[in-house]
Amino acid sequence: MTRTHEKVGDLPAGKAEAHTPESAAAGIDAAFDMLGGRWKLIILFHLFGGQVKRFSELETAIPAVSQKMLAQQLRQMEADGILLRTVYPEVPPKVDYRLTEWGQSLCPALDALLQWAENKQGVGL
């Protein structure tokens, strides 16, 4: 059982190896590498809850992103196993995107991070 801070509860038995501060930092760094990029988190929030979106729907939902950058971010997320790209054999081609089960499991972590950020006002900085 592992935790990164005394305020964080223990993980269920068998879920993870014990982490040292160095291995925990390396793991977080690897996660940030997968989620890094200006648009990836926004894409995630548009696909949470089992939503399936076509490229054009994502493009409309995120108007500030260019087609090139959206395609690049989607390809990286697919390569990392966060989302699934489905190509339908029809003319014109139909392609849609959905989160993998592993990608969907990010939802509670990102909700907690969002709540943490919102709590900043309550912490007398």
Side-chain angles (χ1 to χ4, degrees), residues 36-51:
R38 181 171 180 186
W39 305 106
K40 287 182 181 178
L41 292 176
I42 296 169
I43 293 167
L44 278 171
F45 280 106
H46 281 286
L47 295 175
F48 277 144
Q51 294 189 61

Side-chain angles (χ1 to χ4, degrees), residues 61-97:
I62 312 168
V65 68
S66 68
Q67 284 185 347
K68 178 183 176 183
M69 185 56 65
L70 180 58
Q72 183 181 48
Q73 300 280 275
L74 290 168
R75 277 193 304 270
Q76 289 172 357
M77 294 171 75
E78 180 186 15
D80 288 335
I82 296 170
L83 61 79
L84 179 64
R85 178 178 184 259
T86 306
V87 180
Y88 297 92
E90 55 188 58
V91 177
K94 177 183 173 186
V95 179
D96 65 34
Y97 299 90

